[in-house]
Amino acid sequence: MAKIKKQPRPKAQTPKGFQDYFGADVTARAEMLSTIAGVYHRYGFDALETSAIETVEALGKFLPDVDRPNEGVFAWEEDNDWLALRYDLTAPLARVAAQYRNDLPFPYRRYAMGPVWRNEKPGPGRFRQFYQCDADTVGASSVAADAEICAMLSDTLEAVGIDRGDYVIRVNNRKVLNGVMEVAGLSGDDKEAERGIVLRAIDKLDRLGPDGVRALLGEGRKDDSGDFTKGAGLSETQADLIMMFVEANAAVDRKLLSSQAEANDLEDEKTRAIISKRVAEVRDAGSVEARKVLNLPVESLAARNRVTLRYLSEVVGESNVGQDGVAELEQIAKLLESQGYGPDRIVIDPSVVRGLGYYTGPVYEAELTFEITDHKGRPRNFGSVAGGGRYDDLVKRFTGQEVPATGVSIGVDRLLAALRATGRIDTAAQGPVVVTVMDRDRMADYQTMVADLRNADIRAEVYLGNPKNFGNQLKYADKRASPVAIIAGSDEFDQGIVQIKDLILGAEIAKNATLEEWKDRPSQYEVPRDQMIAKVREILDRNN
Amino acid sequence: MAKIKKQPRPKAQTPKGFQDYFGADVTARAEMLSTIAGVYHRYGFDALETSAIETVEALGKFLPDVDRPNEGVFAWEEDNDWLALRYDLTAPLARVAAQYRNDLPFPYRRYAMGPVWRNEKPGPGRFRQFYQCDADTVGASSVAADAEICAMLSDTLEAVGIDRGDYVIRVNNRKVLNGVMEVAGLSGDDKEAERGIVLRAIDKLDRLGPDGVRALLGEGRKDDSGDFTKGAGLSETQADLIMMFVEANAAVDRKLLSSQAEANDLEDEKTRAIISKRVAEVRDAGSVEARKVLNLPVESLAARNRVTLRYLSEVVGESNVGQDGVAELEQIAKLLESQGYGPDRIVIDPSVVRGLGYYTGPVYEAELTFEITDHKGRPRNFGSVAGGGRYDDLVKRFTGQEVPATGVSIGVDRLLAALRATGRIDTAAQGPVVVTVMDRDRMADYQTMVADLRNADIRAEVYLGNPKNFGNQLKYADKRASPVAIIAGSDEFDQGIVQIKDLILGAEIAKNATLEEWKDRPSQYEVPRDQMIAKVREILDRNN
């Protein structure tokens, strides 16, 4: 049968790790991006759109857990230049801030939204193209800029439909961690590798628990599969110091319970009971529970903030950078409270470190605190949907001059998934009114009907498939989730009428009604042609 | 000075052929895309978003004027697969229609919007990443689908701000050209190369004029730079036949003028005068004038449509496919007129062929007809902003089964440029209210002010740069195009007031006013703190 020279057919397949999005999934994302852009704009941020492609040298190598050159990115050579798809929106911003440094207003507040690409092994729910939505302030060294981003993030989450109480923004400061490193004797230029391992180990607290982190600070850790990850090789004393930071939350809780002085900050029985339970959980499980949101009254959280700051100040001891970090956290909390963003929304949390190596000051993370059911039916916290921090050295790569910068990135697709999982966005799209075709030669008349409907701002279409089998047309309307079908054959045209079928009511009746009810509630109406629009609108309004 | 081992700094540069978009340029495009999506949705089209990356085999090689493999696209090898950035939105649609053929409703109406990438030599105004905005119907063989797309394109252009009369949508049919090819003996499988050269030659009529096209149909053509382009090598008779098609518009005009029978269709003096002038122009210049929009009354255009159809019917003679093509054009015109889209908006025009090889039936193109001034100050027609047609074989590549499809692609960036060039969109963005910082220690108070403004839905920001030099803060407000600055130092805080500066009025006064006027119209107001919002809103309303 095959002809000669016939080429094999190409496979119709989305490339591995990529996904196609249809209908309501696309429009829901577009609406969310538009809502977020509205909040960012109100805060004075300006839009920026760079192209998807950058030179490899401009992008730099800032992906977490990536050691080999160009790993993690899609890159190729073009006319002796290496080009790559951006892996985030921060690297392009640093390039823009350097390139247009004489023209942009500084501080430069900008937002950007669009896809980014990661050349990683795809997995379930893990795609190689996904959306980010960033806001950054470049050229402001004051932590007021960090506080502003946290406040804006809080407003943004509420604007897209996350209720207050269903999220928490946790703030920490890399300078505190740097202070701890200094105290532990890890601050020299020759200790960069160790610091990197420590950072990545701490960032895995959620997954590995305190014992796992501790192992990575020392010789290393063998995972369940038997693979061995080399550790930072710290001494016992050094590791103890780092763990004081890692387990700060649990330590603060214990302090609040044991010390009378601290307990004065936190008097009520209920709060003490919650914290007591948590301390036990952390000790027993050493797990993700340590980061669960504290379900405490806002005054108790404010008190807890104060105890946390005192504890961190003790841990960093004599380190100047460490004390700077604590002071900055204190100032951020104060600025936020003055604008009405209390610790029930934005809280100081030493367990947040963020994996990226380039952060230099405050770091922050937004977590959704409601439970969802995972794919195995188990309840779990939804987790992080946004994060960011201060990175004062990214622009310096280009210009040699330090340019302070801070910003946040929202994982739009995760946020959409969260809203969908909790029924906060409606993914059932309303289909168009379908004008069916009874008589192929009357196509011009059907087109006129559909034009009338559209001109009345009603979503409508004429059936454009082969009209021979009328059943197929109704099946099509069903697949399209059409609320209404219009039917007209030569009889109707002769009499100047149309048949209007309420498909939603029709489906309901077919499912539930008795014969009596069916007679009382007809789902098909015969109306004069000039009343078509009015009747359709009546049905649509009833169904909304 | 240089330290050892210091790496050279990366260049802060947009890669060659790419562009960064700032502020109002980004938001204007987002608004336009949202408006277009609204029209497409009303017509029953559903959103689809595929990823930027496809396999090279799925994309296929359908770029015009590209002969070498992978030329024109950005492609690279990844795990033994060749991947590439999409060069349009049609190839991914064909892949999707094949991949999900058992799940999608057919006919499948879908729209898609987003960037596409072309690996072409960049030039002025010619970028390697640009936006497209497509709508296609897959699975409808009826030309009613083509007519619908043309009507929707007309609605879309008017929805984004192109006035009726400032655009025209031209419709032709590849089958007519195929009929001409058949009559000229160019229809065999062995004549594919010749047909390709003929197609590309005709598509260059605008640029080369009839003589240039004629040369390319024969031996070939030497351009001004001396480069020689090989022609199709047709005989005189063959080339004459093709030229009858190429110069159809001029021929129709001559017919309308010379033949009494045709002239009955077109009686009024004014129309005859316009056409007469045009015939002379075409004869003299043989140039782009041939495609200038006919500034005729709609009845004359309808008459002209009829003459064009008769002429094309004569040219294709005995060819069945050619006569099919003419009949389809007639039906499209009839369907469109029944919906109120007369030839003043959508007209039959044999000069439209579209360069892409894959079209199999109706082809269409939207042209803006107003003049703009080019970069050398010369007036010229703005030209094409959208185009498309029927391609019945693209899905067949994957499945082996023919799936009819038709669709349009709007060049969003060109359309934006057109609206900008004619002042139809406002590119001057309104900046935020700037709360200045007189006293660094009062940052919490300034943040409270700015939070109050934002909560009142007023775009506002606090100055986050170094506040030492107050002049810099006002310069910043100027660069941000801020309408209002808020000023408060310790005096103001003590008295519970703020100073509000109307920066737009201030700038006007500084430019134009006499001293008297200046005294009468102060641009700075002192108001109690609790009246700040009201006063700011009053100033903003006055400036809108």
Side-chain angles (χ1 to χ4, degrees), chain B residues 339-372:
Chain B
Q339 294 172 72
Y341 297 86
D344 52 333
R345 292 198 264 172
I346 307 176
V347 70
I348 293 171
D349 186 334
S351 71
V352 174
V353 295
R354 311 285 305 152
L356 287 172
Y358 57 55
Y359 289 121
T360 54
V363 286
Y364 28 88
E365 200 166 84
E367 192 173 317
L368 302 190
T369 54
F370 50 74
E371 283 188 345
I372 55 149

mmCIF file of all heavy atoms in Angstrom, chain B residues 339-372:
data_model
loop_
_atom_site.group_PDB
_atom_site.id
_atom_site.type_symbol
_atom_site.label_atom_id
_atom_site.label_comp_id
_atom_site.label_asym_id
_atom_site.label_seq_id
_atom_site.Cartn_x
_atom_site.Cartn_y
_atom_site.Cartn_z
ATOM 1 N N GLN B 339 -24.314 38.981 6.517
ATOM 2 C CA GLN B 339 -24.059 39.394 7.906
ATOM 3 C C GLN B 339 -23.728 40.873 8.007
ATOM 4 O O GLN B 339 -23.403 41.363 9.071
ATOM 5 C CB GLN B 339 -22.877 38.616 8.484
ATOM 6 C CG GLN B 339 -23.114 37.142 8.655
ATOM 7 C CD GLN B 339 -21.828 36.446 9.039
ATOM 8 O OE1 GLN B 339 -21.332 36.567 10.144
ATOM 9 N NE2 GLN B 339 -21.262 35.715 8.093
ATOM 10 N N GLY B 340 -23.799 41.572 6.853
ATOM 11 C CA GLY B 340 -23.563 43.006 6.884
ATOM 12 C C GLY B 340 -22.121 43.416 6.635
ATOM 13 O O GLY B 340 -21.759 44.576 6.829
ATOM 14 N N TYR B 341 -21.277 42.468 6.236
ATOM 15 C CA TYR B 341 -19.883 42.823 5.940
ATOM 16 C C TYR B 341 -19.737 43.031 4.436
ATOM 17 O O TYR B 341 -19.446 42.105 3.695
ATOM 18 C CB TYR B 341 -18.926 41.736 6.434
ATOM 19 C CG TYR B 341 -18.967 41.555 7.933
ATOM 20 C CD1 TYR B 341 -19.916 40.708 8.514
ATOM 21 C CD2 TYR B 341 -18.108 42.259 8.765
ATOM 22 C CE1 TYR B 341 -19.988 40.557 9.889
ATOM 23 C CE2 TYR B 341 -18.177 42.105 10.141
ATOM 24 C CZ TYR B 341 -19.115 41.254 10.701
ATOM 25 O OH TYR B 341 -19.182 41.113 12.065
ATOM 26 N N GLY B 342 -19.988 44.242 3.983
ATOM 27 C CA GLY B 342 -19.953 44.557 2.562
ATOM 28 C C GLY B 342 -18.532 44.694 2.053
ATOM 29 O O GLY B 342 -17.559 44.629 2.829
ATOM 30 N N PRO B 343 -18.384 44.893 0.742
ATOM 31 C CA PRO B 343 -17.047 44.977 0.135
ATOM 32 C C PRO B 343 -16.286 46.245 0.506
ATOM 33 O O PRO B 343 -15.129 46.399 0.113
ATOM 34 C CB PRO B 343 -17.331 44.902 -1.364
ATOM 35 C CG PRO B 343 -18.754 45.272 -1.510
ATOM 36 C CD PRO B 343 -19.456 44.916 -0.251
ATOM 37 N N ASP B 344 -16.915 47.148 1.269
ATOM 38 C CA ASP B 344 -16.140 48.283 1.797
ATOM 39 C C ASP B 344 -15.236 47.810 2.931
ATOM 40 O O ASP B 344 -14.278 48.470 3.302
ATOM 41 C CB ASP B 344 -17.072 49.395 2.294
ATOM 42 C CG ASP B 344 -18.123 48.866 3.261
ATOM 43 O OD1 ASP B 344 -18.485 47.666 3.171
ATOM 44 O OD2 ASP B 344 -18.574 49.653 4.120
ATOM 45 N N ARG B 345 -15.569 46.612 3.488
ATOM 46 C CA ARG B 345 -14.727 46.061 4.560
ATOM 47 C C ARG B 345 -13.970 44.821 4.099
ATOM 48 O O ARG B 345 -12.812 44.662 4.405
ATOM 49 C CB ARG B 345 -15.595 45.701 5.774
ATOM 50 C CG ARG B 345 -16.188 46.908 6.460
ATOM 51 C CD ARG B 345 -16.646 46.546 7.852
ATOM 52 N NE ARG B 345 -18.063 46.235 7.916
ATOM 53 C CZ ARG B 345 -18.661 45.750 9.005
ATOM 54 N NH1 ARG B 345 -17.953 45.483 10.085
ATOM 55 N NH2 ARG B 345 -19.946 45.509 9.009
ATOM 56 N N ILE B 346 -14.671 43.963 3.376
ATOM 57 C CA ILE B 346 -14.043 42.716 2.933
ATOM 58 C C ILE B 346 -14.295 42.572 1.446
ATOM 59 O O ILE B 346 -15.436 42.501 1.005
ATOM 60 C CB ILE B 346 -14.644 41.502 3.693
ATOM 61 C CG1 ILE B 346 -14.575 41.748 5.221
ATOM 62 C CG2 ILE B 346 -13.904 40.228 3.310
ATOM 63 C CD1 ILE B 346 -15.220 40.664 6.062
ATOM 64 N N VAL B 347 -13.216 42.540 0.658
ATOM 65 C CA VAL B 347 -13.352 42.623 -0.792
ATOM 66 C C VAL B 347 -12.572 41.493 -1.466
ATOM 67 O O VAL B 347 -11.564 41.029 -0.924
ATOM 68 C CB VAL B 347 -12.862 44.024 -1.279
ATOM 69 C CG1 VAL B 347 -11.359 44.150 -1.141
ATOM 70 C CG2 VAL B 347 -13.320 44.310 -2.687
ATOM 71 N N ILE B 348 -13.055 41.042 -2.621
ATOM 72 C CA ILE B 348 -12.320 40.023 -3.367
ATOM 73 C C ILE B 348 -11.178 40.693 -4.129
ATOM 74 O O ILE B 348 -11.386 41.686 -4.822
ATOM 75 C CB ILE B 348 -13.260 39.292 -4.340
ATOM 76 C CG1 ILE B 348 -14.271 38.488 -3.511
ATOM 77 C CG2 ILE B 348 -12.475 38.383 -5.283
ATOM 78 C CD1 ILE B 348 -15.383 37.902 -4.330
ATOM 79 N N ASP B 349 -9.990 40.157 -3.965
ATOM 80 C CA ASP B 349 -8.818 40.797 -4.560
ATOM 81 C C ASP B 349 -7.819 39.736 -5.013
ATOM 82 O O ASP B 349 -7.125 39.133 -4.192
ATOM 83 C CB ASP B 349 -8.182 41.738 -3.535
ATOM 84 C CG ASP B 349 -7.046 42.548 -4.143
ATOM 85 O OD1 ASP B 349 -6.429 42.075 -5.132
ATOM 86 O OD2 ASP B 349 -6.758 43.645 -3.633
ATOM 87 N N PRO B 350 -7.730 39.503 -6.326
ATOM 88 C CA PRO B 350 -6.863 38.429 -6.830
ATOM 89 C C PRO B 350 -5.378 38.682 -6.602
ATOM 90 O O PRO B 350 -4.569 37.771 -6.804
ATOM 91 C CB PRO B 350 -7.162 38.411 -8.341
ATOM 92 C CG PRO B 350 -8.368 39.266 -8.531
ATOM 93 C CD PRO B 350 -8.429 40.214 -7.395
ATOM 94 N N SER B 351 -5.007 39.875 -6.169
ATOM 95 C CA SER B 351 -3.574 40.134 -5.996
ATOM 96 C C SER B 351 -3.038 39.543 -4.692
ATOM 97 O O SER B 351 -1.834 39.538 -4.450
ATOM 98 C CB SER B 351 -3.292 41.636 -6.049
ATOM 99 O OG SER B 351 -3.777 42.274 -4.887
ATOM 100 N N VAL B 352 -3.934 39.053 -3.826
ATOM 101 C CA VAL B 352 -3.475 38.453 -2.560
ATOM 102 C C VAL B 352 -3.132 36.988 -2.792
ATOM 103 O O VAL B 352 -3.986 36.216 -3.218
ATOM 104 C CB VAL B 352 -4.592 38.530 -1.492
ATOM 105 C CG1 VAL B 352 -4.176 37.776 -0.235
ATOM 106 C CG2 VAL B 352 -4.921 39.972 -1.172
ATOM 107 N N VAL B 353 -1.900 36.587 -2.538
ATOM 108 C CA VAL B 353 -1.596 35.158 -2.638
ATOM 109 C C VAL B 353 -1.034 34.571 -1.348
ATOM 110 O O VAL B 353 -1.191 33.403 -1.072
ATOM 111 C CB VAL B 353 -0.641 34.821 -3.807
ATOM 112 C CG1 VAL B 353 -1.307 35.139 -5.136
ATOM 113 C CG2 VAL B 353 0.681 35.526 -3.658
ATOM 114 N N ARG B 354 -0.394 35.371 -0.504
ATOM 115 C CA ARG B 354 0.273 34.896 0.722
ATOM 116 C C ARG B 354 1.442 33.972 0.371
ATOM 117 O O ARG B 354 1.303 33.032 -0.387
ATOM 118 C CB ARG B 354 -0.683 34.138 1.661
ATOM 119 C CG ARG B 354 -1.983 34.818 1.959
ATOM 120 C CD ARG B 354 -1.880 35.971 2.914
ATOM 121 N NE ARG B 354 -1.253 35.611 4.188
ATOM 122 C CZ ARG B 354 -0.581 36.466 4.940
ATOM 123 N NH1 ARG B 354 -0.424 37.713 4.539
ATOM 124 N NH2 ARG B 354 -0.051 36.090 6.074
ATOM 125 N N GLY B 355 2.580 34.272 0.978
ATOM 126 C CA GLY B 355 3.799 33.553 0.619
ATOM 127 C C GLY B 355 3.876 32.089 1.041
ATOM 128 O O GLY B 355 4.561 31.296 0.417
ATOM 129 N N LEU B 356 3.157 31.729 2.103
ATOM 130 C CA LEU B 356 3.324 30.381 2.639
ATOM 131 C C LEU B 356 2.837 29.313 1.680
ATOM 132 O O LEU B 356 1.785 29.434 1.070
ATOM 133 C CB LEU B 356 2.570 30.241 3.965
ATOM 134 C CG LEU B 356 3.204 30.956 5.151
ATOM 135 C CD1 LEU B 356 2.291 30.918 6.365
ATOM 136 C CD2 LEU B 356 4.544 30.312 5.483
ATOM 137 N N GLY B 357 3.622 28.233 1.585
ATOM 138 C CA GLY B 357 3.320 27.173 0.633
ATOM 139 C C GLY B 357 2.119 26.333 1.009
ATOM 140 O O GLY B 357 1.527 25.670 0.167
ATOM 141 N N TYR B 358 1.719 26.327 2.294
ATOM 142 C CA TYR B 358 0.758 25.316 2.715
ATOM 143 C C TYR B 358 -0.713 25.669 2.488
ATOM 144 O O TYR B 358 -1.589 24.857 2.756
ATOM 145 C CB TYR B 358 0.998 24.871 4.157
ATOM 146 C CG TYR B 358 0.978 25.910 5.254
ATOM 147 C CD1 TYR B 358 -0.102 26.754 5.457
ATOM 148 C CD2 TYR B 358 2.054 26.010 6.142
ATOM 149 C CE1 TYR B 358 -0.138 27.661 6.501
ATOM 150 C CE2 TYR B 358 2.040 26.914 7.190
ATOM 151 C CZ TYR B 358 0.946 27.735 7.362
ATOM 152 O OH TYR B 358 0.934 28.622 8.398
ATOM 153 N N TYR B 359 -1.006 26.876 1.989
ATOM 154 C CA TYR B 359 -2.419 27.226 1.799
ATOM 155 C C TYR B 359 -3.036 26.445 0.648
ATOM 156 O O TYR B 359 -2.403 26.223 -0.387
ATOM 157 C CB TYR B 359 -2.569 28.726 1.558
ATOM 158 C CG TYR B 359 -2.297 29.549 2.802
ATOM 159 C CD1 TYR B 359 -1.292 30.507 2.814
ATOM 160 C CD2 TYR B 359 -3.035 29.348 3.966
ATOM 161 C CE1 TYR B 359 -1.028 31.245 3.959
ATOM 162 C CE2 TYR B 359 -2.781 30.080 5.106
ATOM 163 C CZ TYR B 359 -1.774 31.032 5.106
ATOM 164 O OH TYR B 359 -1.521 31.756 6.236
ATOM 165 N N THR B 360 -4.293 26.044 0.846
ATOM 166 C CA THR B 360 -4.946 25.198 -0.156
ATOM 167 C C THR B 360 -6.260 25.770 -0.681
ATOM 168 O O THR B 360 -6.847 25.199 -1.601
ATOM 169 C CB THR B 360 -5.272 23.814 0.456
ATOM 170 O OG1 THR B 360 -6.028 24.030 1.662
ATOM 171 C CG2 THR B 360 -4.009 23.048 0.783
ATOM 172 N N GLY B 361 -6.751 26.863 -0.084
ATOM 173 C CA GLY B 361 -8.043 27.404 -0.509
ATOM 174 C C GLY B 361 -8.066 28.915 -0.362
ATOM 175 O O GLY B 361 -7.121 29.587 -0.753
ATOM 176 N N PRO B 362 -9.135 29.443 0.276
ATOM 177 C CA PRO B 362 -9.214 30.887 0.471
ATOM 178 C C PRO B 362 -7.997 31.425 1.244
ATOM 179 O O PRO B 362 -7.515 30.761 2.172
ATOM 180 C CB PRO B 362 -10.490 31.050 1.311
ATOM 181 C CG PRO B 362 -11.336 29.865 0.977
ATOM 182 C CD PRO B 362 -10.362 28.753 0.744
ATOM 183 N N VAL B 363 -7.506 32.564 0.810
ATOM 184 C CA VAL B 363 -6.466 33.275 1.573
ATOM 185 C C VAL B 363 -6.959 34.698 1.788
ATOM 186 O O VAL B 363 -7.720 35.224 0.981
ATOM 187 C CB VAL B 363 -5.100 33.298 0.837
ATOM 188 C CG1 VAL B 363 -4.415 31.945 0.896
ATOM 189 C CG2 VAL B 363 -5.257 33.756 -0.601
ATOM 190 N N TYR B 364 -6.526 35.317 2.908
ATOM 191 C CA TYR B 364 -7.025 36.657 3.211
ATOM 192 C C TYR B 364 -5.967 37.477 3.920
ATOM 193 O O TYR B 364 -5.048 36.943 4.531
ATOM 194 C CB TYR B 364 -8.309 36.596 4.049
ATOM 195 C CG TYR B 364 -8.453 35.367 4.923
ATOM 196 C CD1 TYR B 364 -7.935 35.340 6.214
ATOM 197 C CD2 TYR B 364 -9.086 34.226 4.445
ATOM 198 C CE1 TYR B 364 -8.058 34.211 7.016
ATOM 199 C CE2 TYR B 364 -9.206 33.086 5.240
ATOM 200 C CZ TYR B 364 -8.688 33.086 6.528
ATOM 201 O OH TYR B 364 -8.794 31.960 7.305
ATOM 202 N N GLU B 365 -6.129 38.756 3.838
ATOM 203 C CA GLU B 365 -5.111 39.668 4.333
ATOM 204 C C GLU B 365 -5.804 40.958 4.750
ATOM 205 O O GLU B 365 -6.656 41.458 4.024
ATOM 206 C CB GLU B 365 -4.129 39.965 3.202
ATOM 207 C CG GLU B 365 -2.798 40.475 3.642
ATOM 208 C CD GLU B 365 -1.794 40.404 2.485
ATOM 209 O OE1 GLU B 365 -1.777 41.343 1.665
ATOM 210 O OE2 GLU B 365 -1.052 39.410 2.405
ATOM 211 N N ALA B 366 -5.436 41.496 5.918
ATOM 212 C CA ALA B 366 -6.001 42.785 6.337
ATOM 213 C C ALA B 366 -4.956 43.861 6.165
ATOM 214 O O ALA B 366 -3.816 43.711 6.611
ATOM 215 C CB ALA B 366 -6.444 42.726 7.797
ATOM 216 N N GLU B 367 -5.347 44.936 5.519
ATOM 217 C CA GLU B 367 -4.408 46.022 5.269
ATOM 218 C C GLU B 367 -4.978 47.301 5.870
ATOM 219 O O GLU B 367 -6.173 47.576 5.747
ATOM 220 C CB GLU B 367 -4.225 46.183 3.762
ATOM 221 C CG GLU B 367 -3.066 47.066 3.390
ATOM 222 C CD GLU B 367 -2.828 47.042 1.877
ATOM 223 O OE1 GLU B 367 -2.888 45.947 1.288
ATOM 224 O OE2 GLU B 367 -2.609 48.117 1.304
ATOM 225 N N LEU B 368 -4.123 48.071 6.509
ATOM 226 C CA LEU B 368 -4.553 49.387 6.977
ATOM 227 C C LEU B 368 -4.325 50.369 5.831
ATOM 228 O O LEU B 368 -3.273 50.369 5.191
ATOM 229 C CB LEU B 368 -3.772 49.809 8.208
ATOM 230 C CG LEU B 368 -3.876 48.837 9.390
ATOM 231 C CD1 LEU B 368 -3.272 49.449 10.645
ATOM 232 C CD2 LEU B 368 -5.331 48.444 9.646
ATOM 233 N N THR B 369 -5.321 51.193 5.578
ATOM 234 C CA THR B 369 -5.279 51.989 4.350
ATOM 235 C C THR B 369 -4.900 53.440 4.584
ATOM 236 O O THR B 369 -4.759 54.198 3.636
ATOM 237 C CB THR B 369 -6.646 51.927 3.656
ATOM 238 O OG1 THR B 369 -7.646 52.323 4.610
ATOM 239 C CG2 THR B 369 -6.936 50.519 3.177
ATOM 240 N N PHE B 370 -4.738 53.815 5.859
ATOM 241 C CA PHE B 370 -4.333 55.212 6.065
ATOM 242 C C PHE B 370 -2.837 55.368 5.847
ATOM 243 O O PHE B 370 -2.075 54.411 5.917
ATOM 244 C CB PHE B 370 -4.757 55.738 7.445
ATOM 245 C CG PHE B 370 -4.372 54.858 8.591
ATOM 246 C CD1 PHE B 370 -3.052 54.791 9.027
ATOM 247 C CD2 PHE B 370 -5.334 54.109 9.263
ATOM 248 C CE1 PHE B 370 -2.702 54.002 10.097
ATOM 249 C CE2 PHE B 370 -4.985 53.314 10.338
ATOM 250 C CZ PHE B 370 -3.672 53.255 10.748
ATOM 251 N N GLU B 371 -2.458 56.614 5.550
ATOM 252 C CA GLU B 371 -1.039 56.867 5.315
ATOM 253 C C GLU B 371 -0.327 57.213 6.611
ATOM 254 O O GLU B 371 -0.879 57.866 7.483
ATOM 255 C CB GLU B 371 -0.883 58.031 4.333
ATOM 256 C CG GLU B 371 -1.148 57.613 2.909
ATOM 257 C CD GLU B 371 -0.791 58.728 1.918
ATOM 258 O OE1 GLU B 371 -0.625 59.877 2.347
ATOM 259 O OE2 GLU B 371 -0.689 58.410 0.724
ATOM 260 N N ILE B 372 0.886 56.739 6.732
ATOM 261 C CA ILE B 372 1.733 57.199 7.823
ATOM 262 C C ILE B 372 3.014 57.757 7.203
ATOM 263 O O ILE B 372 3.243 57.622 5.999
ATOM 264 C CB ILE B 372 2.088 56.074 8.813
ATOM 265 C CG1 ILE B 372 2.736 54.920 8.033
ATOM 266 C CG2 ILE B 372 0.893 55.601 9.591
ATOM 267 C CD1 ILE B 372 3.722 54.174 8.842
#
